[in-house]
Amino acid sequence: LLNEIDVIALTKPESYFKNKNLLSFTPNEVVRIAMTFDGTNYVFEKPRGFWVVKQPSGKTLSSDSDIDALVKALSEVRLAAVERDTLPEDLTPYGLDNPLAVVQVMTSKGKETGIVTVGPLKIGSPATDDDQMRFAASDARPGVYRIRQAVVDEIRETLKGVQ
């Protein structure tokens, strides 16, 4: 016979046991970040060990550590909750029809493996019942999820260093 704790563990939904990463990559393998944030396109590349701004043109970074912090934050994007297990046709209620941010990360282990693209991750509106959560969708797993507002805060902080 099973005790109450075992029964609770065995009756968890399938999503409880799945990997919760919405972007999955190794931070030190990142060579490019392509992102649209609040209607502006940004591309950051690391051609020879240092981050450079490719878009918007004519811009520079105040510090490489800003992008390193962004890479770390993006590598830790995990779903906090499942809003819907499938992606609905109408993304408007989640702000994913016109997302605040769309992020793709490119990684490389070297010339022999080529470039691997991770994403895109789309970040939409704040959740109506919790302003510390935002809706998100990822090609890594179909559905609508909640992620922490802190991801958006980290992106905003990084973009302050683009001048």
Side-chain angles (χ1 to χ4, degrees), residues 85-152:
D85 280 329
T86 59
L87 201 59
E89 281 190 38
D90 184 14
L91 297 173
T92 307
Y94 310 102
L96 295 167
D97 58 323
N98 186 20
L100 171 69
V102 178
V103 180
Q104 277 191 316
V105 176
M106 282 57 108
T107 64
S108 177
K109 290 183 180 182
K111 291 181 182 178
E112 65 279 352
T113 60
I115 302 289
V116 175
T117 300
V118 180
L121 170 69
K122 296 177 183 175
I123 303 173
S125 302
T128 53
D129 61 344
D130 184 351
D131 63 357
Q132 293 304 305
M133 294 287 165
R134 283 198 172 257
F135 295 115
S138 171
D139 281 3
R141 84 187 261 174
V144 176
Y145 305 97
R146 290 179 182 224
I147 62 170
R148 304 214 177 281
Q149 170 66 30
V151 174
V152 172

Side-chain angles (χ1 to χ4, degrees), residues 145-160:
Y145 305 97
R146 290 179 182 224
I147 62 170
R148 304 214 177 281
Q149 170 66 30
V151 174
V152 172
D153 297 341
E154 185 62 48
I155 293 171
R156 283 190 208 282
E157 194 60 34
T158 296
L159 294 180
K160 288 179 184 176

Side-chain angles (χ1 to χ4, degrees), residues 1-13 16-17:
L1 280 138
L2 298 174
N3 64 35
E4 184 178 347
I5 292 173
D6 292 334
V7 171
I8 291 170
L10 290 172
T11 57
K12 297 237 184 244
Y16 179 83
F17 298 100

